[in-house]
Amino acid sequence: MGDPAGIGPEIILKALADKKIFKKCVPVVIGDAVFLAETAEQLKLPFDFNVIRKSEEFVFPAGKAGIYDLGNLKRDVRPGAPSKTAGKAAAQFIEAAAELALSKKIDAIATAPINKQALSLAGVPFPGHTEYFAHLTDTGEFAMAFFGGKLCVVLLSIHVSLKQAISLVKKKRLVDLIRLTDRELKLLQNREVKLAMAGLNPHASENGLFGSEEAREIIPALDECRRKYGINVQGPFSPDTIFIRAAQGEFDGVISCYHDQATIAVKCLAFGEAVNVTLGLPIIRTSVDHGTAFEIAGQGKADPSSMKAAINLAAEFSLNRTKS
């Protein structure tokens, strides 16, 4: 359910009001049933769920949404304000989801947004879902990716300074990420994939005119991936054109050198409908491409498009993994 003080409860209720989702999966909200019911009443949204308490058998029939009710929220959570109470509840939702996925009671997880400040207030030592799920699943090798339409981008680094991000563009890290991406996309999409590498510098350095990282780190990494591991990866390409080429279907994924290089492209091309995916986990985890939007929480203004996309993509990936 994400941070209850954000727009998570609202976009979940709005997304699950769309009955098209029930053709792909049985959606189960991991959260607090009373809080969701109160949110639905306040915002005049439909509320029709099968509710199962944590102590009860985990059984949800098809054709209707369910709530796995942790009953862990106090009524003093105020929309739009980070708090220890909300952060603790959000962490418990994440932990319950990981436990259910690892025990095969659910096939995939689609997360609503959480708030870093609220998690910190609750004493949670992880900055976001990606790192938290990696910890809970004992995953050492993982990566953040975004899917929007035909565009898929995978990030070499996440939330670090630009100076540090540049220093992290190293051959070994690139080889590891490209191998991970190739393996995971084949599993999630159940087919062979074609990857592209975005350059770090303008025009991918123009043969060394604008930097040496391409020649020193990136090209050797691509050569090794092709020669040693048989991966279909090309580049490095100028970062000002490669994302639109991939969005038009030329490549199945683009390896991005740093956070904003990837996310600016995704949000320009698919804002509101893109999906965040954690690669490398033993479970499927998708998420919305936006934050808690505290400034509009509780006002009925939130757009559920990314939540719908995250649920649908989680269902699609789950089916593809089953086939493979």
Side-chain angles (χ1 to χ4, degrees), residues 10-19 21 304 307-308 311:
E10 178 183 339
I11 60 174
I12 286 171
L13 290 166
K14 287 180 175 178
L16 297 186
D18 183 351
K19 298 307 178 184
I21 284 176
M307 188 77 254
K308 289 182 186 181
I311 296 169

Side-chain angles (χ1 to χ4, degrees), residues 198-219:
L200 172 65
N201 295 294
H203 304 288
S205 87
E206 195 98 4
N207 295 317
L209 288 176
F210 311 126
S212 60
E213 289 85 359
E214 280 79 6
R216 190 175 67 247
E217 307 291 346
I218 297 175
I219 291 174

Side-chain angles (χ1 to χ4, degrees), residues 2 5 9 14 24 28 71 91 99 112-113 123 127-129 144 146 160 178 223 226 271 273 281 287 291 300 317:
K14 287 180 175 178
K24 293 193 173 183
V28 177
E99 181 182 344
H129 279 115
M144 178 184 287
F146 287 90
V160 298
I178 293 167
D223 288 343
R226 287 189 293 260
F271 186 75
E273 296 183 355
L281 300 177
S287 184
F317 285 165

